[in-house]
PDB file of all heavy atoms in Angstrom:
ATOM      1  N   SER A  75     -78.870  78.947-150.652  1.00 98.00           N
ATOM      2  CA  SER A  75     -78.266  77.745-151.221  1.00 98.00           C
ATOM      3  C   SER A  75     -79.351  76.820-151.786  1.00 98.00           C
ATOM      4  O   SER A  75     -79.235  76.306-152.904  1.00 98.00           O
ATOM      5  CB  SER A  75     -77.452  77.044-150.126  1.00 98.00           C
ATOM      6  OG  SER A  75     -76.613  76.070-150.662  1.00 98.00           O
ATOM      7  N   GLY A  78     -80.496  78.146-155.037  1.00 98.00           N
ATOM      8  CA  GLY A  78     -79.590  77.832-156.147  1.00 98.00           C
ATOM      9  C   GLY A  78     -79.846  76.440-156.699  1.00 98.00           C
ATOM     10  O   GLY A  78     -79.828  76.219-157.916  1.00 98.00           O
ATOM     11  N   SER A  79     -80.106  75.525-155.806  1.00 98.00           N
ATOM     12  CA  SER A  79     -80.402  74.159-156.229  1.00 98.00           C
ATOM     13  C   SER A  79     -81.735  74.111-157.003  1.00 98.00           C
ATOM     14  O   SER A  79     -81.845  73.435-158.037  1.00 98.00           O
ATOM     15  CB  SER A  79     -80.432  73.276-154.984  1.00 98.00           C
ATOM     16  OG  SER A  79     -80.684  71.957-155.321  1.00 98.00           O
ATOM     17  N   LEU A  80     -82.721  74.851-156.520  1.00 98.00           N
ATOM     18  CA  LEU A  80     -84.020  74.897-157.221  1.00 98.00           C
ATOM     19  C   LEU A  80     -83.875  75.555-158.598  1.00 98.00           C
ATOM     20  O   LEU A  80     -84.524  75.156-159.564  1.00 98.00           O
ATOM     21  CB  LEU A  80     -85.058  75.653-156.384  1.00 98.00           C
ATOM     22  CG  LEU A  80     -85.490  74.952-155.086  1.00 98.00           C
ATOM     23  CD1 LEU A  80     -86.409  75.854-154.275  1.00 98.00           C
ATOM     24  CD2 LEU A  80     -86.191  73.630-155.384  1.00 98.00           C
ATOM     25  N   ALA A  82     -81.255  75.350-160.423  1.00 98.00           N
ATOM     26  CA  ALA A  82     -80.640  74.324-161.268  1.00 98.00           C
ATOM     27  C   ALA A  82     -81.706  73.377-161.834  1.00 98.00           C
ATOM     28  O   ALA A  82     -81.597  72.906-162.968  1.00 98.00           O
ATOM     29  CB  ALA A  82     -79.587  73.546-160.485  1.00 98.00           C
ATOM     30  N   SER A  92     -77.467  70.774-165.493  1.00 97.00           N
ATOM     31  CA  SER A  92     -77.093  71.991-164.766  1.00 97.00           C
ATOM     32  C   SER A  92     -76.239  71.621-163.561  1.00 97.00           C
ATOM     33  O   SER A  92     -76.231  70.471-163.116  1.00 97.00           O
ATOM     34  CB  SER A  92     -78.345  72.738-164.285  1.00 97.00           C
ATOM     35  OG  SER A  92     -79.029  71.934-163.353  1.00 97.00           O
ATOM     36  N   PHE A  93     -75.526  72.608-163.077  1.00 98.00           N
ATOM     37  CA  PHE A  93     -74.705  72.413-161.879  1.00 98.00           C
ATOM     38  C   PHE A  93     -74.915  73.611-160.952  1.00 98.00           C
ATOM     39  O   PHE A  93     -74.746  74.758-161.376  1.00 98.00           O
ATOM     40  CB  PHE A  93     -73.219  72.293-162.256  1.00 98.00           C
ATOM     41  CG  PHE A  93     -72.381  71.797-161.119  1.00 98.00           C
ATOM     42  CD1 PHE A  93     -71.904  70.489-161.103  1.00 98.00           C
ATOM     43  CD2 PHE A  93     -72.088  72.622-160.034  1.00 98.00           C
ATOM     44  CE1 PHE A  93     -71.150  70.021-160.035  1.00 98.00           C
ATOM     45  CE2 PHE A  93     -71.329  72.154-158.960  1.00 98.00           C
ATOM     46  CZ  PHE A  93     -70.861  70.856-158.969  1.00 98.00           C
ATOM     47  N   ALA A  94     -75.280  73.353-159.718  1.00 98.00           N
ATOM     48  CA  ALA A  94     -75.449  74.427-158.738  1.00 98.00           C
ATOM     49  C   ALA A  94     -74.168  74.559-157.913  1.00 98.00           C
ATOM     50  O   ALA A  94     -73.842  73.682-157.108  1.00 98.00           O
ATOM     51  CB  ALA A  94     -76.632  74.132-157.828  1.00 98.00           C
ATOM     52  N   LEU A  95     -73.455  75.665-158.147  1.00 98.00           N
ATOM     53  CA  LEU A  95     -72.215  75.950-157.409  1.00 98.00           C
ATOM     54  C   LEU A  95     -72.606  76.719-156.145  1.00 98.00           C
ATOM     55  O   LEU A  95     -72.635  77.947-156.145  1.00 98.00           O
ATOM     56  CB  LEU A  95     -71.281  76.771-158.298  1.00 98.00           C
ATOM     57  CG  LEU A  95     -69.913  77.124-157.735  1.00 98.00           C
ATOM     58  CD1 LEU A  95     -69.084  75.880-157.487  1.00 98.00           C
ATOM     59  CD2 LEU A  95     -69.171  78.049-158.689  1.00 98.00           C
ATOM     60  N   ILE A  96     -72.975  75.978-155.119  1.00 98.00           N
ATOM     61  CA  ILE A  96     -73.575  76.600-153.933  1.00 98.00           C
ATOM     62  C   ILE A  96     -72.900  76.133-152.641  1.00 98.00           C
ATOM     63  O   ILE A  96     -72.277  75.084-152.590  1.00 98.00           O
ATOM     64  CB  ILE A  96     -75.092  76.260-153.830  1.00 98.00           C
ATOM     65  CG1 ILE A  96     -75.309  74.741-153.915  1.00 98.00           C
ATOM     66  CG2 ILE A  96     -75.877  76.987-154.895  1.00 98.00           C
ATOM     67  CD1 ILE A  96     -76.735  74.294-153.694  1.00 98.00           C
ATOM     68  N   LEU A 245     -79.331  67.069-162.773  1.00 98.00           N
ATOM     69  CA  LEU A 245     -79.046  68.263-161.993  1.00 98.00           C
ATOM     70  C   LEU A 245     -77.990  67.912-160.964  1.00 98.00           C
ATOM     71  O   LEU A 245     -78.084  66.874-160.320  1.00 98.00           O
ATOM     72  CB  LEU A 245     -80.358  68.746-161.359  1.00 98.00           C
ATOM     73  CG  LEU A 245     -80.530  68.867-159.879  1.00 98.00           C
ATOM     74  CD1 LEU A 245     -80.398  70.318-159.535  1.00 98.00           C
ATOM     75  CD2 LEU A 245     -81.880  68.356-159.463  1.00 98.00           C
ATOM     76  N   CYS A 246     -76.951  68.721-160.860  1.00 98.00           N
ATOM     77  CA  CYS A 246     -75.858  68.443-159.927  1.00 98.00           C
ATOM     78  C   CYS A 246     -75.758  69.570-158.917  1.00 98.00           C
ATOM     79  O   CYS A 246     -75.956  70.741-159.258  1.00 98.00           O
ATOM     80  CB  CYS A 246     -74.529  68.329-160.666  1.00 98.00           C
ATOM     81  SG  CYS A 246     -74.589  67.193-162.043  1.00 98.00           S
ATOM     82  N   VAL A 247     -75.453  69.195-157.700  1.00 98.00           N
ATOM     83  CA  VAL A 247     -75.396  70.158-156.608  1.00 98.00           C
ATOM     84  C   VAL A 247     -74.074  69.972-155.875  1.00 98.00           C
ATOM     85  O   VAL A 247     -73.722  68.842-155.523  1.00 98.00           O
ATOM     86  CB  VAL A 247     -76.590  69.906-155.651  1.00 98.00           C
ATOM     87  CG1 VAL A 247     -76.493  70.765-154.425  1.00 98.00           C
ATOM     88  CG2 VAL A 247     -77.907  70.130-156.365  1.00 98.00           C
ATOM     89  N   LEU A 248     -73.350  71.043-155.649  1.00 98.00           N
ATOM     90  CA  LEU A 248     -72.075  70.929-154.933  1.00 98.00           C
ATOM     91  C   LEU A 248     -72.318  70.511-153.479  1.00 98.00           C
ATOM     92  O   LEU A 248     -73.161  71.078-152.790  1.00 98.00           O
ATOM     93  CB  LEU A 248     -71.323  72.268-154.962  1.00 98.00           C
ATOM     94  CG  LEU A 248     -69.958  72.269-154.276  1.00 98.00           C
ATOM     95  CD1 LEU A 248     -68.960  71.327-154.954  1.00 98.00           C
ATOM     96  CD2 LEU A 248     -69.373  73.684-154.216  1.00 98.00           C
ATOM     97  N   GLU A 249     -71.556  69.512-153.041  1.00 98.00           N
ATOM     98  CA  GLU A 249     -71.540  69.137-151.614  1.00 98.00           C
ATOM     99  C   GLU A 249     -70.163  69.487-151.060  1.00 98.00           C
ATOM    100  O   GLU A 249     -69.843  70.660-150.957  1.00 98.00           O
ATOM    101  CB  GLU A 249     -71.888  67.646-151.454  1.00 98.00           C
ATOM    102  CG  GLU A 249     -73.261  67.242-152.009  1.00 98.00           C
ATOM    103  CD  GLU A 249     -74.459  67.632-151.151  1.00 98.00           C
ATOM    104  OE1 GLU A 249     -74.268  68.249-150.088  1.00 98.00           O
ATOM    105  OE2 GLU A 249     -75.601  67.344-151.561  1.00 98.00           O
TER     106      GLU A 249
END
Side-chain angles (χ1 to χ4, degrees):
S75 193
S79 181
L80 292 174
S92 64
F93 193 105
L95 182 64
I96 53 174
L245 121 102
C246 309
V247 173
L248 181 63
E249 301 284 1

